[in-house]
Every structure is written in C-alpha cells, then in structure tokens.
Amino acid sequence: MSERAGRLGGLLESVKGPRDLKALGADELPRLAAEIRDLLVSATARTGGHLGPNLGVVELTIALHRVFDSPRDRILWDTGHQAYVHKMLTGRADRFDTLRQEGGLSGYPSQAESEHDVIENSHASTALSYADGLAKAYRLRGEDDRTVVAVIGDGALTGGMAWEALNNIAAHKDLPLIIVVNDNGRSYSPTIGGLANHLASLRTTQRYEDVLEFVKDNLNKVPVVGAPVYDALHGMKKGIKDVLAPQAMFEDLGLKYIGLVDGHDTQAVEAALRRARGFRRPVIVHVLTKKGFGYSPAENHGEDCFHSPGAFDPLTGEEKPKPHGWTNVFGQEMVRLGAERRDIVAITAAMLGPTGLIPFSEAYPDRLYDVGIAEQHALTSAAGLAMGGLHPVVAVYATFLNRAFDQLLMDVALHRLPVTVVLDRAGVTGDDGASHNGMWDLSILQVIPGLSVAVPRDEPRLRELLSEAVAVDDGPTVVRYPKGPVGPEIEAVGKLGEMDVLRAGDPDVLVVSVGPMAEMCLEAAAMLDAQGISATVVDPRWVKPLDEALVAAARVHKLVVVVEDNGRVGGVGDAVARMLRDADVDVPVRTYGIPQRFLDHAKRAKILADIGLTAQDIAREITEAVAKRSPVLENHPAR
Ligand SMILES: Cc1ncc(C[n+]2csc(CCOP(=O)(O)OP(=O)(O)O)c2C)c(N)n1
Ligand SMILES: CC(=O)[C@@H](O)[C@H](O)COP(=O)(O)O
Ligand SMILES: [Mg+2]
C-alpha cells in the first residue's frame, strides 16, 4: 500500500461522478480499485473508520455505479458504514481526508453531502424496508424506469426488519427492486445463526462450483468417459445446491436469485447486476466478498478484519489503542460475577468484542449467546432465559436499545423478570454521527414500570452497581456508561439517603450529578465558590427510582440543577422536576443535558462544548440564575 498524504490517484481524480466512471474501460478498473484502496487506507489511518467493510466493497461499488444511474436509480446502503467508496465515486474523493472530522464528510451517507445519498441512519437492517417503500412509490408515480438497489450485509440480514421487508417485497412481483447481499461471512465477528450457516455452506459450494468448472473444462476433452462422469458430478452439485443454497430459500419466497457472484470481479458483478436489472421484479444478487480485501493487515486482523479501527500505521496496520476503559471494566466484572453466579448468562447482538464480552465468552462459552444483529430478539430471548431461572445480562450500545423498547417494556418488565441490560456508548459518542449518540435511553426508560436504572460515575461504582443490578430478582435493571476511558475515581464525602454526597455546601444550589458528569459538576461547584455561591453535589447512583431524600434536600435549596449526558427531554432532570412538583416543593429545577436535536458528527469534547455541557457553561448559567433569582435559563443550548 503506497503511503500517500490523501493525494488521489490519477484515475480516481478523474472520476467526478458516475458518468466519468461509466466512461472508463474495463481494463482501467483494476487500477481504479487500487487507487480507491490506497485512499481508504491512507484516510482511515489518520481518522479511524470502517476500513474493513469498505475494502470489501470496492469492486461491488464500482459495478453498481457503472450499471445503475444514480440518483435516478436509488442505491441504498444498509447500516451505511460501507459507503466510503460510494462517496469517492460520487464526487467526494477530493474531500475524503475530512472523513468523520467536524464539518467534513460524515462516516455514513448524508443527504446534505450528495443527491446520491439516501439513508443516514446507521442502525442496521433497515435498507430493504426503505427499498420496499421507494419502489412502491416510484411504481405509484408511474416512474417505472427507476430501479431501487439495496445493498445489505450478511450481518444486517440477521436483523428481523430485513425479513419483514423480504416478506413484503416478495408479495410484489412487479417491483423493480434489486437486493444485493454483500456476503463476507462477518458482522463484527463471524456472522452467526442458521442463515449464516446457510450462506457459509454456499461458500463451500462455491468451491465445489470451482471444482466442477475445472472438471467440466477438462473432462469434456475425454469424449466417452468424460460426459457420464461430468453428468454424475453435475447431478451431485445440483443436489447439494438445492439442499444448501439459499437460492431455494429465496426462490421459495418468490424472489429471483442470482448467485454466487465473486464480489471482487467487477465484470462478473456488472454482468449479474445487468441481468438482475432486466428482470424488472425483485431479485436477490448474492455476492461473495472478503472484509478487508486487498490490505493484508485488515484481511488478517483477527476477530473483526479492521471493522472500525481507530487511527493506525498504514504500513504495518498497527493500531493506536482505543481506550475503551468502561467496556473493559464491565468485561472484567462479568467474568468475576460469572464465577460467583452460575445463573448469570450474557447476550450480545453481534457486538461481542465492542461490548467487552470476549473474556466472558472465553471463560463461560456455554453461557454467552450472540444473537446476531437482533436486539429485539435479544431482549425477549432474555425474558425466556429469566423465566427459565437464569439472570441474563444483555449488552448493547445505548442507541440500539431504541430497537428493543417494546420487548423491554412488555416482554421483560411486564413480567417483572430479572434481566439486566448494560448500555455501552451511552451519552454523546460523536464520531459516528447523529444515530450513534446514546442520548435517548434515560428518557425512554423513565416510562417503564418496575425497571431500575443505575449510572456509575467511575470504575468502583460500575463494579458496585453491576453487582447490585444482577442481585435484583423482581424486575429489570439497567446500567449505562459512556464510550472511552473511565475518568478519575471520585469518593463520596457523605450520604444523602442512598445517594452519594460528593461535595457538601451551604443550601444555595443542589446539583444532582448523573454518573460520569460528576467530574464536571465538581469543577462547576468550585467555580461557583469563587462567585460566593455554595453548591452541594450529589450522585444518585440509581436514577430510577429516584431517592426520596431528594425532596427534603431540595426544600432547603434555592435552585436544583441536574446534569446528565442524555437528551434533556424526559430524562433524569424531568424526573426530578416531576418528583419535586408532586411533593409540592417550590424550588426551580434546571436540567443541563443534550438538546433535542440530531447532532452532527464531531469529537465528543467539541460537541459537549457546543451544547454548553461544560463546567464553565454550567457555572456561568447558575451564577446568572442565582443572581437574577430568575432561574429561567431559556437561552442555554443545553436547555
Ligand atoms: C441495530 C444495530 N445493531 C448493531 C449495529 C452495530 N454494527 C454496525 S456494522 C455491524 C456489522 C454489520 O455486518 P454486515 O451487515 O455483514 O456488514 P459488513 O460490516 O460485514 O460489511 C454491526 C453489528 C448497528 N449498526 N445497528
Ligand atoms: C456502524 C456501527 O454501528 C459500528 O461499527 C460503530 O461504528 C462502532 O462504534 P465503536 O467504534 O464505538 O465501537
Ligand atoms: Mg458482513
């Protein structure tokens, strides 16, 4: 891989859009692919990003944009993490060194960036449903010349939504809709489940195909013996293919199936796509690719083929460590708890490594369930496990809990089941853009009866609160923590009810600090001192249900401030305000959190500064509020 400072190769520089791409000769495409791979590696080496998935779709993306006419035809990317090549070929190669930087290219499709981009949501398994709707709309509007193409990975295909969509698509034989299954056999780690086994068996069949091709090419040269032997082999192949191939599965659903296609042979992919386009009806094009293809550090990168590395050395592939402290502490604690409690089992939704459960899976392989990208199934399967006498711990990213809200509410909480949900990447995550911030969980969890929520402020509290959560046996519990390194340990100086007092002040301002906001709140309190304002800082540890001791404490303060790394609407601050209102405590409550809007990608610290979630901002706002005795802080962005 040639080291380059993000300079474009000549061919790639000449491609300003699909029209230029179509003008290239087939003999130029290998060089274009090499230039694209060069840029993928050099750019993500600096910024981090989804290198593995994008290296795997270089030839596929070239073929897609040579066969179809985007944006007239719509090309949808499921999850969107593999759309870097699509961006390069639709006029953004010259900006690719701004990937995932504030104000630069998003790591996912972005309608604001290009008319070629459609789905901005990075939550998996949605593309087929979008495609179903788009194709129906074009048909109803008489725009029959348009084709909708959805590219979905084998991992995303394990998501339930994808099968809901397939069921509907199969019912409409006249929809010009092409589903490209990008099958690299991996999600983060190897894709799991019956479907994955099916697809994996095909890859075996593919080798079988290759053998048969070889036989056919060579055996026919032996006129007498050859033919019967080849026919016998062919008969065997057909038998295998019928039994194993999802061709049967998809065709039984009423979908045309074209496969297996070598996803790194641009011309083969182009031919398959042209054939599929000709059907003018739903077609599956099953493409075999390799995650990380063409860059050996990615191809050989253990568990995840460089799915989403941080910055790394492009020459060696050596990654700069990503400090996932919270995740590692959780992983260690799970191994300890697993030894103490044989009823504890763990569930991941295709995120074994990223949620820190690899140590648990190694220690207790028969007590770890990877359900694929299937959060809804994860929660209700956990309900079943709990009904069966176990205590499941379901580890998901906070943003993906949204997917399984009804399952948590109705399948788990309604039955008062002992399930613990651990939410990693809670709060502002930043780089991954709007749909990856964990900013809704503390709001949606407020409405679930009988469910308790803990938010640890540091490592000791994470260990304590996880133990407390798995000890609860009459209802669900949730523990949530952010992405990245754990902050400093902050010891309590006293107790207020069950809450930790982190700083005892005179009764001016009562600051309720939610989890890791503690460090910021203590900093703000120190700044308030300089203004002659005394602040008491408490950490509830459990934010649902809230500690009744808050009521008495609030009564004697002039202002109650709640600071949380969650959306302001419906979060802990609103819960505190409601509790005080219900107790007729007439003290103003002000919440500092994430404003109710979708946040553009940027570094976490920058986003927190932009929304005013910093010690300086909070101290200044409180000072003004106390001074004016009018605590209405309408203009604060974090309000
Ligand atoms: C609902 C949801 N759960 C989990 C994730 C995290 N995630 C992002 S990409 C990925 C793997 C996707 O695998 P696949 O669809 O096969 O694409 P590939 O990376 O192999 O190209 C996962 C689990 C997600 N984006 N959305
Ligand atoms: C696309 C997706 O959902 C994941 O790949 C995500 O980008 C990973 O985030 P982390 O890097 O925080 O694990
Ligand atoms: Mg995959």
Side-chain angles (χ1 to χ4, degrees), residues 153-156 182-187 191 291:
D154 54 305
N182 171 30
D183 181 2
N184 55 24
R186 308 186 72 90
S187 185
T191 305
K291 190 173 254 191

Side-chain angles (χ1 to χ4, degrees), residues 205-369:
T205 313
Q206 174 66 22
R207 276 199 287 281
Y208 192 87
E209 291 271 7
D210 296 344
V211 167
L212 275 172
E213 281 310 304
F214 172 78
V215 166
K216 187 173 79 176
D217 293 348
N218 293 282
L219 211 54
N220 283 347
K221 297 185 182 90
V222 184
V224 177
V225 173
V229 170
Y230 173 70
D231 289 347
L233 277 178
H234 187 76
M236 200 158 66
K237 167 205 158 190
K238 185 135 178 30
I240 287 177
K241 198 155 181 172
D242 285 352
V243 170
L244 294 177
Q247 175 172 353
M249 174 173 69
F250 288 120
E251 285 183 342
D252 289 349
L253 271 175
L255 297 162
K256 290 296 288 176
Y257 173 91
I258 297 174
L260 293 161
V261 185
D262 174 355
H264 299 298
D265 177 341
T266 309
Q267 288 172 287
V269 178
E270 282 194 40
L273 293 175
R274 291 190 202 287
R275 190 169 152 234
R277 189 181 57 182
F279 283 119
R280 307 312 295 158
R281 55 165 289 181
V283 185
I284 301 258
V285 179
H286 186 179
V287 175
L288 288 187
T289 64
K290 185 173 175 50
K291 190 173 254 191
F293 187 75
Y295 179 57
S296 55
E299 285 187 31
N300 306 317
H301 190 268
E303 259 307 295
D304 68 0
C305 298
F306 256 21
H307 178 86
S308 67
F312 62 91
D313 179 333
L315 294 178
T316 65
E318 193 177 332
E319 263 191 285
K320 298 179 178 78
K322 286 201 290 189
H324 286 324
W326 291 95
T327 306
N328 298 337
V329 173
F330 164 66
Q332 293 163 9
E333 207 51 24
M334 280 299 289
V335 172
R336 186 187 68 77
L337 289 167
E340 275 179 18
R341 297 263 305 270
R342 292 199 50 75
D343 63 322
I344 286 180
V345 293
I347 296 178
T348 176
M351 307 275 276
L352 183 71
T355 57
L357 282 174
I358 289 178
F360 185 91
S361 69
E362 289 168 345
Y364 319 109
D366 58 346
R367 291 159 60 186
L368 179 286
Y369 304 103

Side-chain angles (χ1 to χ4, degrees), residues 50 53 57 78-79 81-82 122-125 152-157 182 184 186-188 191 291 307 349-351 373 375 397 400 403 436:
H50 290 95
V57 295
D78 195 288
T79 318
H81 63 304
Q82 77 294 54
S122 64
H123 291 199
S125 316
I152 184 167
D154 54 305
L157 205 51
N182 171 30
N184 55 24
R186 308 186 72 90
S187 185
Y188 262 84
T191 305
K291 190 173 254 191
H307 178 86
M351 307 275 276
I373 308 181
E375 287 81 2
Y397 285 12
F400 301 138
R403 267 284 160 88
H436 256 75

Side-chain angles (χ1 to χ4, degrees), residues 143-166:
E143 297 174 350
D144 296 325
D145 64 313
R146 307 184 76 166
T147 303
V148 179
V149 185
V151 181
I152 184 167
D154 54 305
L157 205 51
T158 60
M161 266 187 79
W163 293 88
E164 294 171 21
L166 278 173

Side-chain angles (χ1 to χ4, degrees), residues 612-629:
L613 211 47
T614 66
Q616 293 76 3
D617 287 300
I618 291 169
R620 189 186 66 252
E621 294 279 343
I622 292 174
T623 303
E624 288 166 6
V626 171
K628 284 189 300 192
R629 286 282 182 275

